Every structure is written in C-alpha cells, then in structure tokens.
Amino acid sequence: MTPEQAREKIIFALDVDKLSEIDRWAELLSSKVGMFKVGKELFTTAGPAAVEAVKRHGGQVFLDLKYHDIPNTVAQAMLAAGRLGVKLANLHALGGPEMMEQAATAVRKQFTDAERPRLLAVTILTSSTQETLKAVGIEQPVEQMVVRLARLAKESGMDGVVASPLEIQAIRAACGPDFLIVTPGVRPSFASVDDQKRIMTPAEAVKAGADYLVIGRPIAKAADPVLAADLIVDEIVKGTP
C-alpha cells in the first residue's frame, strides 16, 4: 500500500466546537488525511457552516450524526445531508429496515450515483460491551449482533456500516468485498486507549479489511499532530501488503 492510499483511509474526527478550530485543523491536516468527520457537538454548535468550512479547504466530510427517528424524518435528513455535499452520512441500524430503506431510496432517487453521499449504518458503538447490550435487552453476543445488523443494513440499501475493528472480518465475510466498513476504535501504537473498548491499531484494522479509519485524539492530542498523522500513515504502510 502506498502512503497516499494509506492517507485516504484516515478520517480525522473534528471534535471541536468553533468554526475557527475547523479552519486550523483543515489547514494543518488537509494534505495528511482523506476526510474530516463532523459529529454531533460540532454540528449542533455550528450547523451546516461546519461542513462548508471543511469543503472550503478542499476537504471531504463524513457527517456523523447517527440519525435514528421515524423513517420519513430520517429520509429527509439524509436528503439534507446530500445537499450539503458530504461524502459519507450515517444512521443507526437499530432504527430498522423500513427506516434504512426509505433513506436509501430517497437519496438514490434525488441524486446521481456520482454525487450522492454513501450511506452508512451504525451497528454497535465501540464504547459498548456485552454488559451494555444486556442492559437494554439484547442478549446476543456483540459480534453476532454487529453482523446481524450489517446484513440487515446491506439488505436495506446501505452502502456500508460503522463498526468496531474487531468485527471487520466477520462483516466482510457476511456482506462481501464492496460493502464499506468504517471503523472507529482505532488506536495507533503510540496512543492511549481512552474510552474505547473494542480497538485495534490502524495497520491491524486495514489488514482486516477496513475501508476507512476514524481517528481523533491520537492526532488532535499529540504534541505534533502533523507528525502523528504521518506516523499513522507509516504504520499502515508498513503493516499492510
């Protein structure tokens, strides 16, 4: 794998709450990562201007708002995401097949394949454990539940899923080579684990079959964020064929 291919796999998590911070990180990392994640805190604070700020610096956006609502509401939200010009947008697979199907149908009807966002379904959050699932009445083991939701997402028209790196191989086996897998819970060898429970290194995740890696604090909290991004690229290149 080339360094450029490795860079394209990195999604930097913009876990900030000011537009000025977006400008800072986009200027610093636009040539070092493949995409920027705009999540709930930033979008709630800055709204669509956050997406526009990233795009102004030439960056692509993963809009990570994890929609989970009645089917029509989620479909309309996905259409709004598409109009913002984001590359990836997501919803919760636990919202069920009707919710996913309506969103996928609406987006494909409104946009050409080239211009539409790729739609992802969140399976089980990487901070969740078996105890977390049992507390809400889910008795299946985490991996089985993740694969079940991934299959359901594919059948419902999703382009891929967000899942822990520990489930990548099982999802790939169940859903095929073209199904996108985006993995948070990735920690390079030089970084702390923080609050993630089900983790891998970047090289391990890519080798297992991840298409994109969401990485935030290991870059953002580093003394030299640019060097940290370069080190992650090096890890991926050295650890994959």
Side-chain angles (χ1 to χ4, degrees), residues 31 36 60 64 98 130 197 238:
S31 65
F36 293 85
Q60 295 182 313
D64 179 33
E98 183 182 357
Q130 196 61 52
K197 300 292 196 304
K238 291 175 181 176

Side-chain angles (χ1 to χ4, degrees), residues 171-232:
I171 293 169
R172 187 63 71 210
C175 298
D178 299 324
F179 196 61
L180 293 177
I181 302 175
V182 177
T183 59
V186 174
R187 288 293 181 269
S189 58
F190 59 82
S192 62
V193 169
D194 297 314
D195 58 354
Q196 303 287 359
K197 300 292 196 304
R198 307 193 320 278
I199 63 173
M200 277 187 182
T201 67
E204 288 170 340
V206 171
K207 193 172 182 180
D211 295 290
Y212 296 104
L213 315 175
V214 178
I215 303 175
R217 282 169 285 189
I219 295 175
K221 301 298 184 184
D224 185 339
V226 171
L227 176 60
D230 286 340
L231 288 173
I232 292 169

Side-chain angles (χ1 to χ4, degrees), residues 26-233:
E27 288 174 6
L28 202 61
L29 297 174
S30 58
S31 65
K32 300 295 181 179
V33 302
M35 210 179 311
F36 293 85
K37 180 178 80 70
V38 172
K40 288 185 176 70
E41 180 184 8
L42 179 54
F43 198 81
T44 301
T45 301
V51 175
E52 293 304 322
V54 173
K55 291 169 62 181
R56 190 165 60 245
H57 290 277
Q60 295 182 313
V61 175
F62 167 27
L63 189 62
D64 179 33
L65 299 183
K66 302 181 180 72
Y67 301 127
H68 188 163
D69 211 314
I70 63 174
N72 183 64
T73 296
V74 171
Q76 294 304 312
M78 280 295 194
L79 288 175
R83 288 190 287 271
L84 288 176
V86 304
K87 185 171 181 179
L88 302 174
N90 63 3
L91 48 70
H92 266 292
L94 285 168
E98 183 182 357
M99 188 190 80
M100 290 190 281
E101 287 165 6
Q102 282 201 27
T105 299
V107 168
R108 285 180 172 86
K109 184 177 180 180
Q110 183 74 33
F111 302 99
T112 66
D113 192 61
E115 66 185 3
R116 74 174 178 85
R118 268 36 192 176
L119 307 182
L120 306 173
V122 177
T123 54
I124 300 297
L125 298 174
T126 54
S127 59
S128 295
T129 63
Q130 196 61 52
E131 288 69 33
T132 311
L133 298 190
K134 285 182 179 179
V136 296
I138 298 173
E139 297 295 333
Q140 279 190 301
V142 171
E143 181 174 311
Q144 287 184 24
M145 195 65 196
V146 168
V147 173
R148 177 177 178 172
L149 290 171
R151 283 200 184 100
L152 183 63
K154 183 177 182 181
E155 292 165 2
S156 300
M158 295 290 104
D159 297 293
V161 290
V162 180
S164 144
L166 299 189
E167 287 87 50
I168 294 170
Q169 290 180 318
I171 293 169
R172 187 63 71 210
C175 298
D178 299 324
F179 196 61
L180 293 177
I181 302 175
V182 177
T183 59
V186 174
R187 288 293 181 269
S189 58
F190 59 82
S192 62
V193 169
D194 297 314
D195 58 354
Q196 303 287 359
K197 300 292 196 304
R198 307 193 320 278
I199 63 173
M200 277 187 182
T201 67
E204 288 170 340
V206 171
K207 193 172 182 180
D211 295 290
Y212 296 104
L213 315 175
V214 178
I215 303 175
R217 282 169 285 189
I219 295 175
K221 301 298 184 184
D224 185 339
V226 171
L227 176 60
D230 286 340
L231 288 173
I232 292 169
V233 169

